[in-house]
Amino acid sequence: MEDTIGAIGTALGESGIGIVRLSGPDSEHIIEQLFIPVNRENWSRRQSHRLYLGHFRKSGSGQEVIDQVLVVIMKGPHSYTGEDVAEIHCHGGYLVVRSVLEAVLNQGARLAEPGEFTRRAFLNGKLDLAQAEATIDLIRSKSRTGLAIAVGNLDGKLSQLIDYCQEELLRILAYCEASIDFPEDEIEVMQPEEIEEIITSVINRLERLLADFDKGRLLQDGVKTVILGKPNVGKSSLLNAILGRERAIVTDIPGTTRDLIEEYVDLGGIPLRMVDTAGIRPTEDLVEKIGVEKTKEVLKEADLALLVLDAATGLTDNDQLVWQLAKEAGVPLIVLINKVDLDEVAIGREQLKQMDSGLTVLEISALSGYGLPALEEKVQEMVGLGEVRWEGEPLITRLRHRQAVTKAVDHLKQLLVSLEQGLPEDFLTIDLRGAWEALGEINGKTVGEDVLDRIFAEFCIGK
Ligand code: GDP
């Protein structure tokens, strides 16, 4: 039998409420030991999925109270994990939530591992692997579109497509196996053309997923963007303008690989992941600060570069250098002539266009917000999101999924070749099974423990 796990489900810090969650067969028993209800009678006739007010004590034997709380028991299988789940809603605050957690651990619960609640939900069939992964994406979403994709996948958008493809393959597989095992029997014959038609349609759907992978990844992970330009041209103002327009929240995430702060801004649903914002704050010129070689490196990693110019002061040698470097690095570059609200304008769009007709130039005013909608459109276009905006179709955003889909498509293409060569059914079954299994890596029908370990290690504790 599974043990009972417990963890803090909310972020630690001062907040209105904090939630400690339990899952497993002892959940209710642990609550019974520690919870002193305000209304004993109600509690004794308690129902699943209802909140009860009372006090939470430190241990089952003592009377020392930690906090006034609300508790809820959610009887399995109608719970997140499919097991008996209990939640204690206490006041937020480091000490309160920690004390409640300690109390339930002392009462016999084990501290949950990262993602263990969701892993149990997956193992109990409450959601498939693609949906489980979508919950991480959801929590980490940096833009409205990224969030919408994650919600769609959590609702099963991707899973439904994968399941559908698997069922189609299974239908053919069943036919092939029957005709191998019972060649004499009257089984409904599937013509090679019919098989070909089904397989081709499945391939088309999967290839669509592959084609949209970059889109999904960009929308989910963010477009790595570097803002360049000499001091005082308005780089921070531009960032603030984007932030203000979208009322987005700036997130500071300590860079994992380098000692950098990463920030996300939401530009019309596209998450821009600002690289090296250290270079623009305090007011500094990234190129002067870190040198040409480092700038080249930064550019190489970027999906998009924005070069900000000051309309009043015009173009400097350094600006031209950046422009050249971006070109060499093959990074989509948008030159922004800022402060066009000013009267004295030393440089305009036309002038720059004359210097390089292929250049993308926009006139903006970070102060008034002029030109930002155009910037939004340009960014979409330049990072390949322009023609095909996300319209709710299933998307894959993970490398793991892309590998699995690629493997499936390879098998199916091989199958078409075998079909064309008129090879017998048992040849077909090998690739049918291969493709089915590859797709099973996405919904989790065919994954091993090691893959699960890796996936759930990405989660936070308490999810
Ligand atoms: P940074 O050094 O490139 O980050 O530049 P800042 O964003 O700090 O801006 C430098 C100065 O230019 C500030 O005084 C801003 O208010 C001003 N500024 C920025 N954008 C505009 C704009 O579009 N129009 C005008 N008139 N002033 C601007």
Side-chain angles (χ1 to χ4, degrees):
M1 204 207 256
E2 289 282 355
D3 47 6
T4 297
I5 51 172
I8 298 169
T10 43
L12 277 181
E14 284 184 26
S15 61
I17 58 167
I19 298 175
V20 172
R21 176 151 70 160
L22 291 167
S23 179
D26 275 341
S27 300
E28 187 165 9
H29 179 69
I30 292 172
I31 298 288
E32 276 174 341
Q33 304 302 304
L34 298 170
F35 180 62
I36 310 163
V38 164
N39 186 329
R40 276 179 194 284
E41 207 182 307
N42 269 349
W43 174 247
S44 67
R45 290 185 275 111
R46 65 182 164 272
Q47 292 173 24
S48 181
H49 294 76
R50 288 219 167 186
L51 284 162
Y52 294 89
L53 178 68
H55 290 90
F56 211 74
R57 53 182 175 174
K58 234 175 162 170
S59 71
S61 50
Q63 286 307 311
E64 198 184 332
V65 166
I66 301 171
D67 191 10
Q68 194 182 52
V69 299
L70 285 168
V71 299
V72 55
I73 311 278
M74 289 170 271
K75 297 293 260 180
H78 304 294
S79 68
Y80 181 65
T81 59
E83 306 173 329
D84 284 358
V85 167
E87 283 176 8
I88 305 120
H89 299 219
C90 53
H91 289 98
Y94 191 73
L95 200 58
V96 183
V97 189
R98 286 298 299 246
S99 304
V100 170
L101 175 66
E102 261 167 43
V104 298
L105 296 183
N106 286 337
Q107 211 59 43
R110 165 174 68 72
L111 184 64
E113 285 166 22
E116 198 171 358
F117 289 93
T118 308
R119 186 174 185 147
R120 288 187 175 195
F122 164 67
L123 293 172
N124 290 325
K126 299 298 284 189
L127 33 73
D128 73 14
L129 200 55
Q131 289 172 305
E133 288 174 304
T135 63
I136 318 180
D137 296 339
L138 192 78
I139 292 170
R140 297 204 178 139
S141 292
K142 299 297 186 308
S143 74
R144 282 174 283 118
T145 315
L147 178 65
I149 295 171
V151 174
N153 284 349
L154 181 60
D155 278 346
K157 263 201 165 104
L158 176 61
S159 309
Q160 280 157 17
L161 174 62
I162 298 299
D163 289 350
Y164 168 80
C165 293
Q166 276 193 315
E167 274 161 32
E168 290 291 272
L169 300 184
L170 219 49
R171 199 149 65 90
I172 307 175
L173 191 62
Y175 160 74
C176 291
E177 284 178 345
S179 60
I180 295 167
D181 293 345
F182 315 104
E184 274 86 59
D185 283 18
E186 288 268 321
I187 46 172
E188 208 182 318
V189 178
M190 251 177 154
Q191 297 301 331
E193 297 77 40
E194 191 184 343
I195 297 179
E196 189 189 324
E197 199 176 303
I198 297 170
I199 295 296
T200 308
S201 139
V202 171
I203 291 178
N204 286 343
R205 280 166 185 258
L206 295 178
E207 284 193 326
R208 176 81 198 272
L209 277 183
L210 291 177
D212 286 348
F213 172 74
D214 285 334
K215 177 162 80 166
R217 189 187 63 84
L218 286 175
L219 289 172
Q220 197 64 258
D221 292 351
V223 178
K224 265 196 178 180
T225 307
V226 54
I227 298 194
L228 300 157
K230 61 180 182 291
N232 279 319
V233 291
K235 298 181 295 297
S236 336
S237 306
L238 172 62
L239 264 186
N240 287 336
I242 297 174
L243 288 174
R245 214 167 90 82
E246 298 295 337
R247 287 192 177 70
I249 303 156
V250 189
T251 30
D252 283 353
I253 299 169
T256 41
T257 49
R258 292 183 295 163
D259 209 11
L260 287 176
I261 304 286
E262 280 184 352
E263 284 177 304
Y264 288 85
V265 298
D266 186 333
L267 182 71
I270 309 169
L272 298 186
R273 186 164 142 209
M274 310 308 304
V275 189
D276 265 319
T277 42
I280 62 165
R281 191 207 286 157
T283 306
E284 268 186 73
D285 185 331
L286 187 61
V287 183
E288 271 170 13
K289 185 173 163 239
I290 64 177
V292 171
E293 282 313 307
K294 187 73 199 300
T295 305
K296 275 189 186 166
E297 254 175 61
V298 171
L299 280 170
K300 216 187 305 168
E301 279 181 34
D303 299 313
L304 175 73
L306 302 177
L307 171 61
V308 186
L309 305 181
D310 185 323
T313 53
L315 193 69
T316 64
D317 290 348
N318 221 347
D319 293 331
Q320 296 206 33
L321 174 65
V322 169
W323 168 356
Q324 204 49 44
L325 292 177
K327 218 171 165 181
E328 281 166 19
V331 188
L333 170 76
I334 303 178
V335 178
L336 299 169
I337 304 179
N338 189 32
K339 309 193 190 180
V340 292
D341 54 290
L342 293 177
D343 286 338
E344 73 274 31
V345 170
I347 189 144
R349 196 167 168 273
E350 291 316 315
Q351 254 170 298
L352 285 178
K353 285 291 227 186
Q354 272 167 17
M355 294 168 70
D356 180 349
S357 59
L359 200 64
T360 306
V361 190
L362 292 175
E363 294 181 347
I364 61 163
S365 166
L367 217 55
S368 73
Y370 169 80
L372 290 187
L375 173 62
E376 195 177 295
E377 247 171 59
K378 248 315 168 249
V379 170
Q380 280 168 15
E381 194 184 304
M382 305 231 355
V383 298
L385 299 168
E387 337 71 84
V388 269
R389 288 224 63 175
W390 188 65
E391 272 158 4
E393 72 278 12
L395 281 185
I396 50 171
T397 57
R398 291 168 177 270
L399 216 49
R400 194 182 82 75
H401 294 170
R402 182 168 73 165
Q403 284 164 346
V405 174
T406 307
K407 213 190 308 176
V409 169
D410 287 348
H411 276 295
L412 295 178
K413 286 190 167 160
Q414 182 54 47
L415 190 144
L416 286 184
V417 174
S418 308
L419 208 58
E420 200 171 310
Q421 293 172 345
L423 295 177
E425 270 87 6
D426 39 351
F427 271 88
L428 306 185
T429 61
I430 296 171
D431 282 312
L432 279 168
R433 264 203 214 96
W436 190 89
E437 278 170 16
L439 293 179
E441 289 171 24
I442 296 176
N443 56 22
K445 283 180 184 155
T446 54
V447 282
E449 286 291 313
D450 51 332
V451 177
L452 292 183
D453 286 346
R454 232 178 309 130
I455 290 171
F456 288 103
E458 265 190 63
F459 279 67
C460 43
I461 289 182
K463 186 60 210 161

